[in-house]
């Protein structure tokens, strides 16, 4: 135990050391010339959201001269933060850790608005010179690995000036998937009995109509997750009344909208140093509260209930705030400065815990009796998780059986060469893990280039028993569990939801761990190296 504590302590000190170095040495990476000659790329990044722009920035800083491009299905940078446009959309974790380690967050709020995050990502891309390397409106459909060529052959769809679909191909030595974890094309949308009889409007937050007028309207929001608790305070500013209709409650934690300690540190220290200190403060605080939640769930839940009771006041009803699962079995929702509780206290919003019996022309009839009148119904019913960007993968002509693969260090798949994907945390900021992944990919590429290797793949350990990738029972995870890769029961096949453990495992352990198989032309296998 003492040895692990020493290792984790070293990881923390290493992170602080990096922050100090960045303050004294500010180096702008140089951009390789745009690749137009048809030669294979060194790296192809899929996705120009938070993960993809971060991955590109890491390549520029740590692997200068790398020939890479970014393919983005949409027409703009930002990913999630460009897609979601519903009222009040914001981060559900602090933006100091959601943001990049290399770009200090300069905004006032610690829980940031979606548009501010989108602008932050755009600035990061522009400042590093990444934007010219992005090919927009390129939706990747398939990726085929050839051991003979030691290359990926990627097929994408785009449109010509007349709107006709065109198929384009690109070859790359390494494929880095940064497309997120859910479908941008469709959300989870259950069918409700007789919803076609409803005379009002039904909308899904993922596809919020820009011209939707909810002023003075009665709004029912179906759901109790992060989207619902974000929407309701914003809708309540103009709607006649907003009702959150939940099948079961979620855990809801009050978070400060403004991190006063962070603002003080920004005044006292250089930007990079302050940013590093703030990030580590928030990382360690988050880990502390997560451990309390998992080890003492009753205590944690009681604290959440006490906070809700204090802010809601006489309208508080414990039935609406007492989930039937333990904290972090599903994600704990954050409400900045308790804004959700405030609008309930003021009577502008309310919560109903029940299920839908049927829609009626004027609203929703509940299973437990009664009817909720509504002019607008918002189905905040969740995301549709997709697997590896809904791409069709083949390895030497054989379709990849994704559920049969094991995840190596939370980023590579067993038996799949020259491939990594960014998948963040369920209990903390996504970017923390995405940056660790990008850093590892850069180390791996450097190792391969220095030794003349052309490919690498983790080979599954038959003694590592397969387990679900995510030990998380949120609806979107449960619905897609059968399509996901698996994690194993021992290192390096375990997926941690712990930044310190990952930092040690990913950044501080040697690459040649006996699991990776490196190849040199003409395909002479070698372990380690």
């Amino acid at each position: 135990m003492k040895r692990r504590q020493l290792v984790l302590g070293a990881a923390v000190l290493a992170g602080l050391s990096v922050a100090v170095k960045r303050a004294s040495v500010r180096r702008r990476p140089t951009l390789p010339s745009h690749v137009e000659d048809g030669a294979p790329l060194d790296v192809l990044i899929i996705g120009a959201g938070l993960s993809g722009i971060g991955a590109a920035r890491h390549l520029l800083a740590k692997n200068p001269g790398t020939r890479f491009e970014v393919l983005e299905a949409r027409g703009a940078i930002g990913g999630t933060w460009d897609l979601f446009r519903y009222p009040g959309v914001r981060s559900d974790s602090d933006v100091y850790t959601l943001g990049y380690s290399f770009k200090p967050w300069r905004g006032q709020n610690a829980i940031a608005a979606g548009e501010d995050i989108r602008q932050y990502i755009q600035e990061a891309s522009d400042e590093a010179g990444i934007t010219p390397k992005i090919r927009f409106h390129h939706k990747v459909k398939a990726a085929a690995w050839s051991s003979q060529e030691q290359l990926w052959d990627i097929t994408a769809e785009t449109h010509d000036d007349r709107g006709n679909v065109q198929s384009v191909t690109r070859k790359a030595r390494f494929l880095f998937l940064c497309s997120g974890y859910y479908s941008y094309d469709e959300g989870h949308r259950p069918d409700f009995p007789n919803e076609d009889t409803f005379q009002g409007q039904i909308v899904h937050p993922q596809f919020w109509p820009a011209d939707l007028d909810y002023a003075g309207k009665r709004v029912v929001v179906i759901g109790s997750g992060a989207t619902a608790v974000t929407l309701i305070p914003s809708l309540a500013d103009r709607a006649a009344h907003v009702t959150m209709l939940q099948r079961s409650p979620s855990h809801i934690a009050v978070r400060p909208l403004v991190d006063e300690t962070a603002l003080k540190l920004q005044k006292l220290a250089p930007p990079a140093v302050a940013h590093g200190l703030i990030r580590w403060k928030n990382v360690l605080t988050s880990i502390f509260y997560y451990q309390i939640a998992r080890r003492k769930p009753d205590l944690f839940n009681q604290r959440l209930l006490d906070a809700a009771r204090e802010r809601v006041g006489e309208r508080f009803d414990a039935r609406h705030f007492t989930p039937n699962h333990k904290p972090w079995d599903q994600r704990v929702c954050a409400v900045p400065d308790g804004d959700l509780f405030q609008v309930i206290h003021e009577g502008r919003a309310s919560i109903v815990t029940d299920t839908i019996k049927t829609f009626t022309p004027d609203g929703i009839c509940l299973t437990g009796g009664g009817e909720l009148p509504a002019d607008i119904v918002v189905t905040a019913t969740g995301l549709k998780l997709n697997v590896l960007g809904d791409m069709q993968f083949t390895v030497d002509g054989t379709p990849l059986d994704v559920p049969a693969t094991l995840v190596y260090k939370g980023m590579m798949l067993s038996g799949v060469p020259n491939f990594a994907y960014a998948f963040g945390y369920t209990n903390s900021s996504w970017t923390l893990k995405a940056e660790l992944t990008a850093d590892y990919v850069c180390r791996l590429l450097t190792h391969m280039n220095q030794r003349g290797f052309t490919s690498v793949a983790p080979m599954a350990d038959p003694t590592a028993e397969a387990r679900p990738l995510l030990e998380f029972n949120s609806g979107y995870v449960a619905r897609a569990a059968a399509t996901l890769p698996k994690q194993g029961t021992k290192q390096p096949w375990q997926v941690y939801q712990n930044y310190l453990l990952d930092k040690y495992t990913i950044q501080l352990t040697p690459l040649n761990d006996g699991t990776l198989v490196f190849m040199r032309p003409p395909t002479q296998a070698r372990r380690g190296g």
Side-chain angles (χ1 to χ4, degrees):
M1 183 64 181
K2 290 183 178 179
R3 183 176 182 272
R4 172 170 286 189
Q5 290 174 339
L6 289 172
V7 170
L8 296 181
V12 173
L13 292 174
L16 292 175
S17 174
V18 169
V20 173
K21 289 179 181 178
R22 286 186 181 130
S24 59
V25 181
R26 299 298 297 269
R27 179 175 66 119
R28 175 173 176 150
T30 58
L31 182 70
S33 59
H34 194 76
V35 180
E36 295 286 1
D37 56 9
L41 298 162
D42 295 319
V43 181
L44 182 64
I45 298 170
I46 310 298
L50 198 57
S51 301
I53 299 303
R57 173 57 170 73
H58 274 71
L59 282 175
L60 288 172
K62 299 182 179 182
N63 298 72
T66 299
R67 294 158 58 94
F68 77 90
E69 287 181 350
V70 182
L71 297 188
E72 167 56 46
R74 294 167 53 77
I77 289 171
T80 291
W81 306 107
D82 179 68
L83 174 68
F84 286 116
R85 300 297 179 117
Y86 59 80
V89 59
R90 66 194 181 208
S91 62
D92 62 350
S93 57
D94 77 274
V95 75
Y96 300 104
T97 54
L98 183 70
Y100 300 119
S101 61
F102 56 82
K103 181 175 172 59
W105 174 256
R106 302 183 186 278
Q108 179 77 9
N109 293 340
I111 306 295
E115 175 57 27
D116 292 339
I117 299 171
R118 190 205 65 77
Q119 183 61 38
Y120 171 88
I121 301 170
Q122 181 73 58
E123 288 177 0
S125 181
D126 292 344
E127 289 168 0
I130 296 166
T131 306
K133 302 289 287 182
I134 303 172
R135 295 182 181 271
F136 294 104
H137 300 294
H138 280 64
K139 184 177 180 61
V140 178
K141 306 296 289 185
W145 170 259
S146 169
S147 293
Q148 182 176 357
E149 291 187 303
Q150 295 284 281
L151 293 173
W152 284 100
D153 194 344
I154 295 93
T155 303
E157 285 185 354
T158 187
H159 294 81
D160 62 20
D161 293 339
R162 298 181 179 180
N164 299 315
V165 176
Q166 289 185 328
S167 180
V168 296
T169 60
R170 207 72 177 100
K171 290 184 181 294
R173 297 183 176 89
F174 198 98
L175 183 61
F176 197 172
L177 188 61
C178 299
S179 57
Y181 67 100
Y182 66 90
S183 172
Y184 281 26
D185 297 328
E186 56 180 319
H188 176 62
R189 172 64 166 85
D191 293 324
F192 298 106
N194 299 314
E195 62 178 85
D196 58 328
T197 66
F198 179 55
Q199 296 180 354
Q201 191 168 359
I202 301 175
V203 298
H204 193 287
Q206 192 165 327
F207 310 104
W208 193 269
D211 59 350
L212 180 63
D213 182 12
Y214 55 89
K217 304 289 182 65
R218 300 165 298 176
V219 182
V220 173
V221 178
I222 302 173
S224 61
T227 301
V229 304
T230 298
L231 264 169
I232 290 167
S234 293
L235 294 176
D237 285 342
R238 296 173 54 202
H241 187 81
V242 183
T243 302
M244 179 163 75
L245 174 57
Q246 59 181 12
R247 183 172 51 189
S248 62
S250 297
H251 291 97
I252 302 175
V254 177
R255 298 283 298 273
L257 178 62
V258 176
D259 186 336
E260 297 293 348
T261 302
L263 297 183
K264 291 178 182 177
L265 285 170
Q266 288 175 338
K267 293 178 180 179
L268 295 173
V273 173
H275 188 55
L277 292 171
I278 295 165
R279 280 169 66 87
W280 274 110
K281 171 186 76 73
N282 291 354
V283 164
L284 296 175
T285 300
S286 175
I287 291 173
F288 171 76
Y289 282 116
Y290 178 77
Q291 293 300 324
I292 293 294
R294 299 304 286 174
R295 297 181 184 188
K296 296 183 180 296
D298 292 339
L299 173 63
F300 186 84
N301 190 51
Q302 188 59 51
R303 293 294 177 88
L304 297 185
L305 282 172
D306 290 344
R309 181 182 290 107
E310 178 183 353
R311 287 166 172 78
V312 173
E314 62 183 14
R315 299 179 189 274
F316 178 82
D317 185 336
R319 293 177 303 165
H320 303 319
F321 299 95
T322 307
N324 56 15
H325 58 271
K326 293 181 179 180
W328 289 112
D329 282 350
Q330 298 181 18
R331 193 172 179 93
V332 175
C333 301
V335 289
D337 290 348
D339 59 358
L340 173 68
F341 301 144
Q342 183 63 32
V343 296
I344 295 173
H345 169 75
E346 295 170 355
R348 294 187 285 140
S350 58
I351 300 178
V352 172
T353 304
D354 207 333
T355 56
I356 296 172
K357 180 179 180 181
T358 183
F359 270 67
T360 70
D362 300 317
I364 297 173
C365 182
L366 303 173
T367 304
E371 183 174 345
L372 293 178
D375 303 303
I376 298 172
V377 173
V378 180
T379 56
T381 46
L383 306 169
K384 181 182 178 183
L385 195 148
N386 69 359
V387 181
L388 304 182
D390 283 338
M391 297 163 52
Q392 299 298 316
F393 281 82
T394 58
V395 176
D396 293 328
T398 301
L400 180 63
D401 184 2
V402 175
T405 62
L406 287 181
V407 173
Y408 174 80
K409 293 191 175 182
M411 69 179 76
M412 301 175 75
L413 299 180
S414 59
V416 182
N418 290 18
F419 171 80
Y421 73 103
F423 198 96
Y425 294 117
T426 59
N427 64 350
S428 191
S429 291
W430 177 274
T431 316
L432 291 172
K433 179 63 177 293
E435 283 203 316
L436 288 177
T437 300
D439 181 77
Y440 184 88
V441 168
C442 291
R443 285 179 60 209
L444 189 62
L445 293 173
T446 298
H447 180 86
M448 293 171 67
N449 289 338
Q450 290 176 345
R451 292 160 177 79
F453 296 126
T454 55
S455 66
V456 60
M459 303 309 294
D461 182 349
T463 67
E465 182 182 346
R467 296 165 49 195
L469 175 66
L470 300 172
E471 295 177 337
F472 204 56
N473 62 17
S474 290
Y476 67 90
V477 175
R479 289 189 293 269
T483 65
L484 298 175
K486 304 294 191 296
Q487 66 168 308
T489 53
K490 60 182 182 179
Q491 295 182 352
W493 305 103
Q494 289 172 300
V495 176
Y496 300 119
Q497 296 296 331
N498 185 301
Y499 179 70
L500 296 183
L501 288 175
D502 273 333
K503 189 169 183 65
Y504 168 67
T505 302
I506 294 172
Q507 284 193 328
L508 303 180
T509 58
L511 290 171
N512 55 335
D513 60 0
T515 300
L516 295 178
V517 173
F518 294 86
M519 303 288 287
R520 286 194 182 100
T523 65
Q524 294 178 348
R526 176 177 175 179
R527 281 187 183 270

